[in-house]
Amino acid sequence: EAQVTQNPRYLITVTGKKLTVTCSQNMNHEYMSWYRQDPGLGLRQIYYSMNVEVTDKGDVPEGYKVSRKEKRNFPLILESPSPNQTSLYFCASSLGGLTDTQYFGPGTRLTVL
Amino acid sequence: AQSVTQPDIHITVSEGASLELRCNYSYGATPYLFWYVQSPGQGLQLLLKYFSGDTLVQGIKGFEAEFKRSQSSFNLRKPSVHWSDAAEYFCAVGRGGSNYQLIWGAGTKLIIKP
């Protein structure tokens, strides 16, 4: 089944404790992207990747890192999480970019205490 | 700065009634335009998209949207809503004509009255 998977789905952590949210797709897509969703703000793009080893910042990259060492995986790294990073995170992928249909993961709800 | 505005935070319609959700964007040229739906059972899903050509685009689930350049709008419509359409709807725009950067509206929550 074609899908985007994220792990973990739920995470409660404390300020400053490094964490990684994994994202994997099995559709051989070149484009992958991370978004965060906050009430009243819609979604905001954190980082995106056009292909392996090619990443760029979205609108809210501060406090986040990404890497794209393989086509299928695009992990989101929070080196030192803070409470303002409490949010719902979505990973998405598409064949080549926005002109192709984006498929979304189920979301990761992160709480930073 | 480029922006996307969805003026209605909530909209309530009766089942079987018609629906129009509004979306306005700020950008000088014609951007890539999208409508997404977020529902508890099905996550985030693309409803339709517009890049160029015919300004009336058809999407999934019986939705359509019309691009109006003069009004910088891309409103979503459905002639008759079903209870299963209750969800949150997001308009999104490709930043600066980019094929990689996406700016989202704040969303409109659709409530269906029986």
Side-chain angles (χ1 to χ4, degrees):
Chain A
E1 180 192 354
Q3 59 183 352
V4 179
T5 56
Q6 294 178 228
N7 282 293
R9 294 288 312 280
Y10 303 90
L11 179 60
I12 300 174
T13 189
V14 295
T15 299
K17 187 176 181 182
K18 181 179 178 180
L19 67 93
T20 299
V21 183
T22 64
C23 173
S24 183
Q25 49 92 6
N26 63 0
M27 295 169 278
N28 202 35
H29 285 169
E30 292 189 347
Y31 177 82
M32 297 185 75
S33 184
W34 276 104
Y35 302 93
R36 61 177 288 174
Q37 182 178 12
D38 301 290
L41 296 179
L43 284 83
R44 292 176 291 169
Q45 193 171 34
I46 304 171
Y47 271 96
Y48 60 93
S49 170
M50 296 83 92
N51 213 328
V52 175
E53 302 289 5
V54 184
T55 63
D56 207 348
K57 297 176 181 178
D59 286 325
V60 288
E62 296 78 20
Y64 305 95
K65 285 175 57 177
V66 293
S67 68
R68 187 94 182 272
K69 293 184 170 53
E70 314 163 274
K71 188 180 267 195
R72 65 183 294 126
N73 296 322
F74 190 45
L76 180 70
I77 303 156
L78 285 72
E79 296 261 355
S80 183
S82 62
N84 64 13
Q85 292 178 296
T86 292
S87 188
L88 179 59
Y89 291 87
F90 289 99
C91 180
S93 74
S94 72
L95 193 58
L98 299 178
T99 50
D100 301 304
T101 298
Q102 272 197 107
Y103 296 89
F104 286 80
T108 295
R109 188 167 291 281
L110 172 65
T111 301
V112 183
L113 302 175
Chain B
Q2 197 170 355
S3 64
V4 180
T5 302
Q6 293 181 248
D8 304 303
I9 298 174
H10 298 99
I11 279 191
T12 302
V13 299
S14 298
E15 191 169 15
S18 65
L19 170 71
E20 183 168 29
L21 301 182
R22 296 182 290 162
C23 174
N24 293 95
Y25 64 89
S26 65
Y27 182 57
T30 300
Y32 297 146
L33 295 160
F34 308 85
W35 275 100
Y36 287 87
V37 59
Q38 185 177 32
S39 52
Q42 300 200 350
L44 270 160
Q45 187 177 23
L46 177 69
L47 280 176
L48 46 78
K49 55 189 175 183
Y50 174 79
F51 306 137
S52 64
D54 191 345
T55 57
L56 186 63
V57 292
Q58 303 297 320
I60 62 171
K61 303 177 189 273
F63 285 92
E64 66 178 27
E66 186 172 13
F67 168 61
K68 292 187 177 179
R69 183 193 307 274
S70 60
Q71 298 175 20
S72 296
S73 69
F74 188 56
N75 294 348
L76 183 71
R77 301 194 295 244
K78 187 169 185 178
S80 175
V81 298
H82 185 260
W83 64 267
S84 61
D85 293 324
E88 190 154 23
Y89 292 80
F90 294 95
C91 180
V93 171
R95 177 184 289 283
S98 166
N99 189 33
Y100 303 112
Q101 294 181 275
L102 199 57
I103 305 171
W104 298 71
T108 297
K109 187 166 186 178
L110 175 62
I111 300 162
I112 307 293
K113 283 193 304 187

